[in-house]
Amino acid sequence: MSHIEVPDAEARTRLEGRQFSEARRHGKYLFAGSSSGPWLALHMGMAGSVRIYDEEDGQPDYARLVVAFEGTRRLAFRDPRKFGWAKVVETPDAEIEAHDLGPDALEIERDTFKDRVGGGRGTIKGALLDQSKLAGIGNLWADETLYQTGTAPDAKVNTLGDDDLNDIHTAFTRILNGVCDVDAHYKELPDAWLIHRRETGRACTRCDGEIESMKVAGRTTYYCPNHQGTS
Ligand SMILES: [Zn+2]
């Protein structure tokens, strides 16, 4: 499955001579541009990254798109696994709307979260991953949130109470901020987190249970059946 998409020559010329004076992030999307537009929109996929370098140091591996600035500075969009994409867009807001993205997960208020997610008939894991409900939570942090709150990943949202949803909101806010605080260097995250033991049979840090996996919402899910249970 590879579908790397980068701007064609015509789209790229729209960026020529322009400045990146602003950057924005919404969910899993990054935007660089200026108030007069256009903007470069980037989605990192599973392993994408952006890297600033000097021309004389040579292009980094897996660079799918390179932005050449005046002088020798360059910005590379690297995407070794080819799940990401880049394109030139008019405004971030138009792109957010086109992808039907919900509010950003780091900014969503508790009551807004409960309005958008609460009462649903699907699983709580599926709801957290649904970028149209809230944008930015992927597989790892959905599992982490449910592990830390003791919630069964396959619990139907409409079986969860107000307190459960409050706890889930508090947890993913703390988790996402924690990941940002260490610039997503996973090894620096707290030892007790699930991220360090996403493997069947590993000891749970919250009880005497063992980690197991199952498919929820089409994704491989690690959890502790002992303290999280299943629905
Ligand atoms: Zn446990």
Side-chain angles (χ1 to χ4, degrees):
M1 202 166 92
S2 76
H3 57 262
I4 180 74
E5 182 196 330
V6 293
D8 60 20
E10 191 187 334
R12 275 181 269 170
T13 59
R14 293 173 59 203
L15 290 174
E16 278 176 16
R18 312 304 290 247
Q19 287 187 332
F20 291 156
S21 55
E22 296 172 40
R24 260 183 80 180
R25 183 196 55 78
H26 188 99
K28 303 179 182 183
Y29 297 67
L30 284 180
F31 300 95
S34 65
S35 55
S36 59
W39 291 65
L40 180 64
L42 298 171
H43 190 288
M44 299 296 138
M46 310 247 324
S49 61
V50 289
R51 190 167 299 169
I52 298 284
Y53 66 100
D54 278 314
E55 191 181 17
E56 65 196 31
D57 294 330
Q59 195 172 298
D61 288 347
Y62 306 110
R64 306 290 170 192
L65 181 75
V66 172
V67 178
F69 296 105
E70 256 178 5
T72 61
R73 293 297 257 177
R74 303 286 179 266
L75 179 148
F77 170 48
R78 301 177 63 251
D79 189 21
R81 293 184 63 183
K82 300 188 183 179
F83 285 103
W85 51 254
K87 62 181 171 175
V88 180
V89 302
E90 217 43 58
T91 63
D93 286 337
E95 194 63 14
I96 289 163
E97 198 172 312
H99 288 277
D100 189 28
L101 298 182
D104 183 80
L106 266 176
E107 286 165 16
I108 192 168
E109 302 278 350
R110 191 172 73 179
D111 289 343
T112 311
F113 168 70
K114 290 194 287 189
D115 284 348
R116 298 181 70 87
V117 167
R121 280 174 293 186
T123 62
I124 182 62
K125 172 147 181 187
L128 291 175
L129 293 177
D130 182 347
Q131 303 294 301
S132 69
K133 292 189 190 300
L134 70 165
I137 299 184
N139 199 42
L140 296 181
W141 311 129
D143 283 2
E144 192 68 55
T145 298
L146 299 172
Y147 178 80
Q148 293 193 18
T149 54
T151 310
D154 61 348
K156 298 284 189 283
V157 178
N158 59 17
T159 66
L160 299 175
D162 204 50
D163 286 350
D164 298 322
L165 292 173
N166 285 342
D167 287 352
I168 287 169
H169 178 267
T170 302
F172 73 68
T173 302
R174 185 186 65 242
I175 289 164
L176 295 176
N177 278 303
V179 176
C180 291
D181 285 347
V182 298
D183 289 334
H185 291 125
Y186 297 172
K187 285 180 182 161
E188 296 171 26
L189 292 169
D191 288 342
W193 285 25
L194 176 67
I195 184 80
H196 302 299
R197 46 192 59 75
R198 293 177 60 83
E199 206 178 322
T200 307
R202 292 285 297 273
C204 178
T205 56
R206 302 178 80 89
C207 73
D208 294 334
E210 283 185 0
I211 305 302
E212 286 185 16
S213 74
M214 64 174 167
K215 285 264 185 198
V216 184
R219 305 295 302 276
T220 301
T221 299
Y222 289 92
Y223 71 111
C224 169
N226 195 41
H227 84 267
Q228 293 177 259
T230 51
S231 66

